[in-house]
Amino acid sequence: MKTMGLADLRLVAPERFPAPEAEWMATHAADVLAAAQVHATLQEAISDCAAAFALSARPREWSPQVLPVREAAVRATTLAARVAFVFGSESAGLTNEELFACQCLVHIPAEPAASSLNLAQAVQVVAYELRMARDGTVPAMRTEMLATVQDVEGLYGHLEEAAKASGFLVPGSRLRERWRRLFARVPELEREEVNILRGLLKSLLKK
């Protein structure tokens, strides 16, 4: 991370932290490790981010918008807001629930028969692509406040409340996954836009 100019490391429910092994491997980046934030849940870790990109080599039948890592890096660096790249554990990767907390599913192109990278390699590839995208990208000119993950999760909760109240959400429906996929196609959703939608839902629920 430090080699590529990144410093904001967030750990979700690590088995052990701090750990001597991590300090040994950090070498000249001990400051990044020491400043790492520890969170109990993924939602907490990414709540202040305008977008979250999930890394997985496994295809999913239901997933957010799928992007190759280079395109994801370019999109991330053009957003005038904090973004997160989310990696699962070495052994199990990301769960479907963790995947749907993010707006995009990111793949690192690789040989299909041997597509899985270990965690450190995947982080290094993403960090490199982010640096390359940032150095070659015109600075963003946006001034509007982008919606954070917390803002969008609030919208999802409001949608579910309205869908249940109207009888539109039936047991066994994949509606929740579908509206997540729908909004994941809008990578620069503004906070004001979220507020407009939630205001509409509030008005409809009153009626």
Side-chain angles (χ1 to χ4, degrees):
M1 287 178 62
K2 188 169 184 177
T3 301
M4 296 296 140
L6 302 174
D8 188 355
L9 173 63
R10 304 182 184 192
L11 305 175
V12 178
E15 288 187 5
R16 291 186 301 126
F17 184 81
E21 303 94 315
E23 293 172 4
W24 300 336
M25 296 180 70
T27 315
H28 300 299
D31 55 331
V32 175
L33 186 64
Q37 300 176 37
V38 177
H39 297 274
T41 66
L42 176 59
Q43 288 287 359
E44 178 186 304
I46 63 176
S47 64
D48 63 339
C49 297
F53 299 80
L55 271 290
S56 178
R58 291 187 292 122
R60 313 289 177 108
E61 181 181 358
W62 292 91
S63 74
Q65 182 182 13
V66 181
L67 296 173
V69 64
R70 186 157 296 174
E71 184 177 338
V74 170
R75 179 176 294 187
T77 53
T78 57
L79 295 176
R82 181 178 284 111
V83 301
F85 279 80
V86 179
F87 302 84
S89 68
E90 186 80 55
S91 58
L94 294 171
T95 66
N96 285 337
E97 182 180 358
E98 290 166 338
L99 184 68
F100 271 107
C102 303
Q103 288 69 54
C104 293
L105 172 60
V106 179
H107 287 313
I108 296 174
E111 184 65 27
S115 62
S116 184
L117 295 171
N118 70 35
L119 178 57
Q121 291 170 336
V123 172
Q124 186 65 76
V125 169
V126 169
Y128 169 78
E129 291 292 349
L130 284 168
R131 185 170 185 85
M132 294 300 293
R134 184 187 63 195
D135 289 349
T137 301
V138 176
M141 301 301 292
R142 296 184 63 90
T143 57
E144 298 87 348
M145 178 72 72
L146 295 183
T148 65
V149 170
Q150 189 172 31
D151 294 330
V152 179
E153 287 296 329
L155 172 61
Y156 292 154
H158 217 150
L159 282 168
E160 183 167 347
E161 181 186 358
K164 286 180 177 177
S166 66
F168 190 66
L169 183 63
V170 297
S173 168
R174 304 303 295 264
L175 188 59
R176 297 180 185 88
E177 289 90 344
R178 287 188 178 277
W179 66 49
R180 283 178 177 269
R181 291 180 70 186
L182 170 64
F183 284 102
R185 297 193 190 102
V186 187
E188 299 178 31
L189 196 63
E190 296 168 9
R191 179 169 287 176
E192 183 179 358
E193 294 168 335
V194 170
N195 290 338
I196 289 171
L197 290 173
R198 294 196 65 178
L200 172 62
L201 290 169
K202 183 178 180 180
S203 178
L204 292 172
L205 281 168
K206 285 182 179 179
K207 296 181 184 301

